[in-house]
Amino acid sequence: MKPATDPLAQLTEIRAIMERSSRFISLSGLSGVGAGIVALAGAAVGYWRLRTQYGEGGYVRLLEGAQQDRIATLPFLLGLAAAVIVVALGVAIYFTRRRAKQEGAPLWSALGRRLALSLAIPLVAGGLFCLQLYMHGAAGLVVPAMLLFYGLALLNGSKYTLDEIRLLGLTEIALGLVASLVPGLGLLFFALGFGLGHIGYGLLMYNRYERAPQSL
């Protein structure tokens, strides 16, 4: 005779309840995929604009050019960065809100606020630091610094969400360190870290947590 209660099922349910109360688990893998696609589009627009303005190898020419050229290009780069961030955040919020609604969990909970704050502090500090690098003639280190600070932000926020965020953070840090050795390939590493890195992470998250199991 089968017992009325399954101890293993009870333990699984208790574990799920504890996880929901201590971690923000409504992050959607589709958010990562969408953000990665937006980042790739942003890198393509940046490459096209710099090539149009400076010719073949436009990114390297910008790095090696005069300071007045970098200052003249700064409004475009800031506008492009702002557009990428806004669109990527919009995509992430849309898919995460949809998943949270499906699970009956609040999006802007205490855990959600802690996660957002833990991400925002390193990102804002990193953004201001990257701006100073660009203005003081170290433009080749901007993309490596972006990857490093983003990876640190993910590590800082990983304690409030799924463990896969920590893996993505370590990946971004590794890419940032390698990119610092070859500053002329900054756009390529930007596409790898913010583009393909997010897409790979998003697909992993989607297949692991969101994809409906296929019936045999």
Side-chain angles (χ1 to χ4, degrees):
M1 183 177 179
K2 188 176 180 179
T5 58
D6 186 351
L8 182 59
Q10 287 183 331
L11 288 175
T12 301
E13 183 178 356
I14 292 173
R15 180 181 178 183
I17 293 173
M18 292 179 64
E19 190 174 48
R20 285 195 295 269
S21 63
S22 61
R23 291 190 174 191
F24 185 81
I25 60 175
S26 295
L27 290 177
S28 173
L30 296 178
S31 299
V33 175
I37 293 174
V38 172
L40 288 177
V45 171
Y47 174 81
W48 170 81
R49 173 62 183 270
L50 294 178
R51 183 176 180 180
T52 301
Q53 186 170 354
Y54 296 102
E56 190 68 31
Y59 180 75
V60 176
R61 289 176 181 269
L62 174 66
L63 300 184
E64 297 175 349
Q67 184 178 12
Q68 56 264 31
D69 292 333
R70 290 194 299 273
I71 294 176
T73 311
L74 183 58
F76 164 75
L77 295 177
L78 290 177
L80 179 61
V84 169
I85 291 172
V86 169
V87 176
L89 277 177
V91 171
I93 291 173
Y94 170 77
F95 284 111
T96 300
R97 176 181 293 175
R98 190 178 72 169
R99 186 181 177 195
K101 186 176 180 180
Q102 291 172 349
E103 296 178 346
L107 178 64
W108 196 239
S109 61
L111 282 173
R113 292 192 293 271
R114 291 175 191 169
L115 175 60
L117 182 61
S118 63
L119 291 173
I121 293 174
L123 289 177
V124 172
L128 295 175
F129 181 73
C130 289
L131 181 60
Q132 291 301 314
L133 287 177
Y134 187 88
M135 295 297 295
H136 288 83
L141 295 177
V142 169
V143 170
M146 290 171 64
L147 291 167
L148 286 170
F149 275 97
Y150 183 58
L152 291 173
L154 293 176
L155 285 180
N156 193 42
S158 63
K159 58 182 175 289
Y160 296 118
T161 186
L162 300 171
D163 292 334
E164 286 78 5
I165 292 292
R166 183 179 296 108
L167 176 60
L168 179 60
L170 293 173
T171 301
E172 301 291 348
I173 291 173
L175 286 173
L177 292 174
V178 175
S180 68
L181 303 177
V182 281
L185 299 179
L187 276 179
L188 174 61
F189 278 94
F190 181 94
L192 287 175
F194 295 105
L196 297 182
H198 274 122
I199 292 174
Y201 150 80
L203 291 176
L204 173 65
M205 294 280 289
Y206 180 78
N207 287 323
R208 182 170 294 180
Y209 298 109
E210 299 174 64
R211 187 175 182 179
Q214 297 180 353
S215 58
L216 300 177

